[in-house]
Amino acid sequence: YWDERYKKAKKNLFTEWYCGMRELRPLFDPLPRTASIIHIGAGNSQLGFQLYDFGFRSIINVDISPEVIANMQQSKMTLSRQGCEWRVADVTSMAEYGNGQFDISVDKGTLDALMCSAGSAAKVELMFHEISRVLKPDGGLAMFISFGNHMK
């Protein structure tokens, strides 16, 4: 589904789900700019670029779609921001990332997408496990921006 969606979206390179840095700034203001960030299910969001422009220099944007990652890697916005990387990864199995590798995990809509898929409970459990694993055990921060009411 996602590869097809991103093939069609090439004309409009960026899509922002729910909100952008303008709305999220109060959450990031107190955080050290030296923090390493993994942006889960980044798609073609500009959030990674916005975090870079806000002073963060270690940002890995991941998505399951090779199509969107290739598009974002070729973007002029990526080429001008060393330390803002785009990589293919499945958030339910991120073996390519080490235990405790990141200070912050940001998800903006991936939880919602998984909740709408077949086998959602198992997928969400795997995603939470992987996020917990790649975050630093002594103070890693996981942010989930969601539209749904499944968090009740």
Side-chain angles (χ1 to χ4, degrees), residues 6-74:
Y6 291 124
K7 282 179 189 176
K8 292 176 186 174
K10 277 188 180 177
K11 293 176 188 171
N12 181 15
L13 185 59
F14 304 114
T15 302
E16 217 53 65
W17 294 90
Y18 309 144
C19 59
M21 191 62 184
R22 183 175 46 132
E23 296 84 3
L24 297 175
R25 184 180 177 140
L27 299 175
F28 288 97
D29 269 336
L31 302 176
R33 299 308 184 262
T34 55
S36 56
I37 299 174
I38 184 165
H39 179 196
I40 302 290
N44 56 0
S45 168
Q46 295 185 68
L47 183 61
F49 303 135
Q50 294 165 342
L51 288 166
Y52 185 93
D53 294 345
F54 196 57
F56 295 96
R57 293 296 182 263
S58 178
I59 306 155
I60 297 180
N61 301 279
V62 299
D63 199 276
I64 197 167
S65 169
E67 180 77 23
V68 76
I69 292 299
N71 292 345
M72 297 305 281
Q73 286 173 336
Q74 296 168 13

Side-chain angles (χ1 to χ4, degrees), residues 14 31 50 72 76 97 103 108 115 119 127:
F14 304 114
L31 302 176
Q50 294 165 342
M72 297 305 281
K76 289 179 184 177
Y97 301 108
D103 297 298
K108 209 164 53 105
M115 289 299 293
M127 178 178 124

Side-chain angles (χ1 to χ4, degrees), residues 78-97:
T78 297
L79 298 175
S80 65
R81 289 170 175 83
Q82 189 175 9
C84 184
E85 301 176 21
W86 296 84
R87 298 182 188 171
V88 176
D90 178 346
V91 299
T92 66
S93 177
M94 297 189 287
E96 59 268 55
Y97 301 108

